[in-house]
Amino acid sequence: MNQDSKNLYICDDIVQYILDFTCITCHTCKKKYNINFAQMSVKFCEIQPFMTSVIIGATTMEQLKENIESVNINLSNELIKDLNEIQKIYPNPCP
């Protein structure tokens, strides 16, 4: 296996790891809490004590509005607890 194919293999593993984490989190949010995944993600980052800012990425005006609207949502203690439990399974989704 040459160096390029090894890096590609590692990259594929990381992508799958992130997709698994995202699917579990998205499913939890949609089914149990009926909350927008993008807004939940931005808000979850915003409330972390170690974060000083949250960088959003949007390619459409609709995505930008959706991300900005996250300032108007609240995450329940139960949702935060569930997200922290998921993070215990995937402590570093991008190794």
Side-chain angles (χ1 to χ4, degrees):
M1 178 182 304
N2 66 35
Q3 186 65 27
D4 289 337
S5 62
K6 181 181 179 187
N7 288 339
L8 183 60
Y9 178 75
I10 292 169
C11 183
D12 286 346
D13 286 349
I14 291 170
V15 168
Q16 187 60 53
Y17 194 71
I18 293 168
L19 287 173
D20 290 346
F21 178 78
T22 303
C23 288
I24 290 169
T25 307
C26 191
H27 178 75
T28 298
C29 296
K30 283 284 191 194
K31 296 289 183 183
K32 190 171 181 180
Y33 298 101
N34 193 30
I35 189 169
N36 178 284
F37 183 66
Q39 291 174 344
M40 185 276 311
S41 300
V42 172
K43 180 58 86 172
F44 187 74
C45 289
E46 178 190 324
I47 65 174
Q48 299 308 305
F50 55 84
M51 288 213 176
T52 57
S53 64
V54 178
I55 300 172
I56 59 174
T59 55
T60 66
M61 185 58 73
E62 181 180 334
Q63 289 173 336
L64 180 61
K65 289 176 182 177
E66 186 176 87
N67 287 341
I68 291 172
E69 186 62 29
S70 69
V71 300
N72 295 319
I73 68 165
N74 292 309
L75 303 181
S76 69
N77 289 336
E78 185 179 0
L79 173 56
I80 293 169
K81 181 179 174 275
D82 282 351
L83 293 172
N84 287 330
E85 289 300 317
I86 292 167
Q87 192 170 20
K88 287 179 184 176
I89 299 167
Y90 297 97
N92 185 7
C94 192

